[in-house]
Amino acid sequence: MEVQPFSLESGCHSSPNDDDGRPKRTGTLVTASAHIITAVIGSGVLSLAWAIAQLGWIAGPLVMLAFSMVTCFCSALLVNCYRSPDPVSGKRNYTYMDVVKANLGGAQIQLCGLSQYVNLFGITVGYIITASISMAAIKRSNCFHRNGHEAGCHTSNSLFMVIFGCIQVFLCQVPNFHKLSGLSILAAVMSFTYSSIGVGLSVARVAGGGGGDVRTSLTGVTVGADVSGMEKAFNTFQAIGNIAFAFTFSNILIEIQDTLRSSPPENQVMKKASYIGVSVTTFFYLLCGLMGYAAFGNSAPGNFLTGFGFYEPFWLVDLANFCIVVHLVAAYQVFCQPIFAFVENKCQSWWPESRFISETHPVSLPLCGAFSVSLFRLAWRTAYVVVTSVLAMMFPFFNEVLGLIGATAFWPLTVYFPVEMYIAQAKVPRFSSTWVWLKILSWCCLVVSLLAAVGSIQGLVKSVGSSKPFHSIS
């Protein structure tokens, strides 16, 4: 038993399986970083100009940097829990819930499962909303180019939600997370592309003076001139939720870590990947948020690439929105795969003799080759896409939905569980200095999340009251 690790490291013996008997993992620092960038740089980046407009030149960047540092720190705590009790040689935990079960147990497992899977579900709904808005924006951009900037060019988003859903029905047949590395790398490239285009268009607008009377301030939108005092407060809270959403990826961090090869140790590689992913995204977030605010001022649109502050060059606006769509096609898969794995593993354990659940059937398609199809996977995953698409049509509110998702996910998944698991794993003495400041960090983040949720819920209620289900128009 003691010889096998040495022979594996030295190359004397090659096994197709890892130490847990599962197929050998092949993930690297590059693929893990790509998964993180795909998960982090998503639709959240599009709302950052609006968020900075609500907070101003001082509070906006400071809030963004604070979220970045908290996310990076808590991610470092979380990756050590992938193996337990020892973070290098202990037993693997394949999902976030497994990690909580191994380190905390009890009712914490149910709380974690509820938080994680509700959040993942909400994110996939949000991505359908965002992708459909970008698809509609391409059509509108071409219409404005042909008919002038004053033309109506209104387009229904629902049709594009159906198109996006059809694409996902096909992609959802990818068996598991380990098969998504290529898709994530493509999505990461798309993220950089549309973020860079957004920054470039903002810089050009500022440099060319094309923004007209753009008003900015140290404190953001002005009470009395732009909004009422109550609106300022609620918009500030919602902006914090939007920024929190932009940094959400802890809910799938363990699943990403489970794709890594075992040498070097997974926690070391994942810490580097988290640092790279969060650092890169923070840099782009600051650029997008600050330059977007400089370009549009206090009247920054909720989505700075689809709010049509930019009309020309129309082809570049089209390219940016196309990149958003491609990115979200992949990001939807990154976030829904943990849900698929959870449901399918549960069904297999409940009904191990069911042929409908366990059997796969070979299918050959022209230009695609042969692959296996599970009827259960086809039926259940298609139903999931349909449900998320219908909910997106019912609640097609970009900023409000993103803010609420960010508010509800940030504290429990990014802060609370990593902190509590670190305290349990490292056996931090109660009321010691480390224990006290970790608890203070957790409680402060809870207060921030609650305020963000209040602002987002108020905005959502206001939007629902003035809209008709299944009639969203861009």
Side-chain angles (χ1 to χ4, degrees), residues 235-431:
N235 287 348
T236 297
F237 298 155
Q238 186 179 321
I240 293 173
N242 285 157
I243 295 174
F245 176 85
F247 283 97
T248 298
F249 84 99
S250 295
N251 48 3
I252 59 170
L253 184 146
I254 296 299
E255 283 82 356
I256 294 174
Q257 190 170 352
D258 190 46
T259 68
L260 293 174
R261 59 182 62 161
S262 56
S263 180
E266 301 92 350
N267 64 328
Q268 295 180 15
V269 175
M270 201 62 192
K271 285 179 183 178
K272 293 178 182 178
S274 299
Y275 178 78
I276 292 171
V278 174
S279 298
V280 169
T281 53
T282 301
F283 174 73
F284 271 92
Y285 283 175
L286 287 170
L287 277 179
C288 289
L290 296 177
M291 292 310 304
Y293 183 44
F296 297 110
N298 293 341
S299 59
N303 182 328
F304 83 140
L305 282 176
T306 63
F308 285 95
F310 305 118
Y311 289 94
E312 301 293 341
F314 79 99
W315 59 269
L316 193 57
V317 176
D318 288 354
L319 176 60
N321 281 294
F322 174 77
C323 290
I324 292 171
V325 174
V326 173
H327 170 253
L328 294 182
V329 165
Y332 184 98
Q333 287 299 311
V334 170
F335 279 95
C336 69
Q337 284 292 331
I339 299 177
F340 294 161
F342 174 76
V343 171
E344 287 158 20
N345 289 337
K346 283 294 184 182
C347 289
Q348 287 175 359
S349 65
W350 290 340
W351 301 288
E353 305 300 325
S354 173
R355 296 176 59 187
F356 175 69
I357 293 174
S358 59
E359 282 190 353
T360 59
H361 305 274
V363 175
S364 180
L365 292 178
L367 303 179
C368 297
F371 58 97
S372 297
V373 172
S374 164
L375 294 180
F376 169 68
R377 190 168 66 221
L378 177 63
W380 129 250
R381 295 189 180 191
T382 300
Y384 179 89
V385 174
V386 171
V387 170
T388 54
S389 299
V390 170
L391 284 175
M393 293 178 196
M394 294 176 64
F395 303 102
F397 314 115
F398 177 74
N399 289 86
E400 295 84 352
V401 170
L402 265 58
L404 183 58
I405 294 170
T408 55
F410 180 73
W411 176 71
L413 298 172
T414 301
V415 181
Y416 172 75
F417 284 115
V419 165
E420 293 299 316
M421 288 188 291
Y422 172 78
I423 291 174
Q425 186 185 60
K427 296 180 172 59
V428 178
R430 193 177 180 85
F431 299 117

